[in-house]
Amino acid sequence: MATIKPSFTVDKINQYLQKYCNITFKSGVYKITKMMICPSETVVTCEPGVIFERYCRYQMLEMEASSYVTGYNGTHDVIWNGGIFKADKRPEDANVIVLYHCRNIILRNIVVDGCRGYHSIECNSSSGVHIENCLFSNQSVIEGEEFREAIQIDFAYDLGYPYRGEYDNPASDGTHCKDITIDSCEFRNVPNGIGTHTVYEKAKYHENIVISNCMFSDVKGNDIQLLSMKKVYIDHSTHNMFAKINLGKRNKGYTLDGKKVKLGSTRYNVNVSIGNVVVE
């Protein structure tokens, strides 16, 4: 097991992440001046009191990605436990945590506070993702883009997530998410809680989405907003019984290069259940 201390630069943090498979961040404040990059088969534990402050232009944490990775063949088998991500130290708009073509990722006991403009977690083109016992708070939006979510479930296309600003690359292959579980998370003062606002022009769906035991307060838009999703289960607990749930439909979608086009037929969700009730 390796130990990372608040005195480490981000370059040294990334060296440790590449070298060791089991890492502990010691309590303290970390100035994140460039993105932390987590590779496959890594277990990260943050002690209580670990605070990551964003001083970089882009995301604070990325599961190691590439413009050439497709499908679910990117970073895999990662557990990241703990840490407070303070995202509002820089004025630019950016995601905070990004998953791209990943599989088997657990994000647990994380706080993301002060995301600006985009998403606290961009869960893109990934499979087998578990987001558990996390808090998302105080997310601001760009004027006119109030549709953005704290946790976005998205597919791989140029406009949705151009890999580090690169467009027209193999990674923009239309891969959708599947087997996503969001459990026991809390959303406070965010534009929207969980879901997506994009649809692929082809009839593909995000599949096997489970949302359970989540709490929502002071959400400006929808607690949960679904588009082009199949086999969705939202638990019927005390919390989610009263959630604002938008079961959207869309007649326009996106091509892989980011152009908006009219769909051949209106896209709905398929097999959405709230508790034991099938609603769509």
Side-chain angles (χ1 to χ4, degrees):
M1 181 183 293
T3 298
I4 293 177
K5 300 176 183 179
S7 59
F8 283 20
T9 65
V10 179
D11 284 336
K12 190 169 183 179
I13 290 171
N14 283 333
Q15 288 172 9
Y16 270 54
L17 287 169
Q18 291 293 329
K19 184 175 181 180
Y20 301 103
C21 61
N22 198 327
I23 290 172
T24 296
F25 281 84
K26 301 297 290 183
S27 181
V29 177
Y30 294 77
K31 289 190 174 183
I32 306 305
T33 56
K34 59 177 68 173
M35 71 181 74
M36 296 184 290
I37 301 174
C38 185
S40 297
E41 299 178 342
T42 302
V43 176
V44 173
T45 301
C46 297
E47 291 185 346
V50 169
I51 300 173
F52 301 109
E53 293 184 342
R54 175 178 168 258
Y55 289 90
C56 57
R57 171 65 182 86
Y58 299 105
Q59 57 262 29
M60 299 174 72
L61 173 63
E62 176 186 280
M63 298 298 119
E64 190 171 27
S66 163
S67 60
Y68 295 96
V69 172
T70 58
Y72 306 117
N73 297 311
T75 299
H76 60 87
D77 298 290
V78 171
I79 300 174
W80 187 292
N81 185 27
I84 298 172
F85 290 77
K86 297 285 291 182
D88 57 357
K89 294 293 183 180
R90 283 284 296 262
E92 295 91 352
D93 303 303
N95 295 309
V96 180
I97 299 171
V98 172
L99 284 62
Y100 194 46
H101 292 291
C102 295
R103 69 181 187 275
N104 302 335
I105 307 292
I106 296 174
L107 303 176
R108 181 184 290 141
N109 301 320
I110 290 170
V111 175
V112 180
D113 183 75
C115 173
R116 301 176 66 99
Y118 288 94
H119 310 285
S120 294
I121 296 179
E122 166 82 11
C123 181
N124 193 304
S125 53
S126 294
S127 169
V129 176
H130 292 255
I131 303 172
E132 304 171 0
N133 198 38
C134 296
L135 169 63
F136 306 93
S137 58
N138 302 319
Q139 180 173 332
S140 60
V141 296
I142 303 168
E143 185 176 355
E145 298 188 3
E146 293 82 4
F147 50 78
R148 296 190 184 275
E149 308 84 7
I151 299 178
Q152 186 188 25
I153 298 169
D154 205 1
F155 68 97
Y157 73 114
D158 272 352
L159 188 62
Y161 182 68
Y163 173 72
R164 300 191 189 175
E166 296 179 20
Y167 291 82
D168 191 26
N169 58 65
S172 295
D173 65 348
T175 298
H176 282 56
C177 292
K178 69 176 183 178
D179 303 328
I180 308 297
T181 297
I182 302 168
D183 179 61
S184 301
C185 292
E186 185 173 357
F187 301 81
R188 301 179 194 160
N189 188 26
V190 298
N192 299 280
I194 303 165
T196 191
H197 54 271
T198 60
V199 173
Y200 186 24
E201 64 169 336
K202 297 183 179 179
K204 295 184 70 173
Y205 297 83
H206 303 291
E207 295 193 42
N208 298 328
I209 312 298
V210 177
I211 301 169
S212 59
N213 301 312
C214 292
M215 297 181 65
F216 306 90
S217 59
D218 195 18
V219 177
K220 307 302 187 299
N222 298 299
D223 298 334
I224 300 168
Q225 54 187 27
L226 307 180
L227 280 173
S228 200
M229 294 195 182
K230 181 185 290 187
K231 298 180 182 176
V232 179
Y233 176 76
I234 302 171
D235 82 335
H236 203 47
S237 70
T238 301
H239 303 314
N240 281 339
M241 278 179 64
F242 305 103
K244 294 178 288 184
I245 301 172
N246 179 19
L247 303 175
K249 56 185 179 180
R250 189 63 60 87
N251 58 17
K252 289 185 178 180
Y254 290 95
T255 62
L256 291 183
D257 60 3
K259 295 178 181 177
K260 203 163 189 177
V261 296
K262 187 173 182 179
L263 302 177
S265 60
T266 300
R267 189 77 51 77
Y268 294 85
N269 298 292
V270 179
N271 295 339
V272 178
S273 299
I274 301 177
N276 295 322
V277 180
V278 177
V279 296
E280 190 170 81

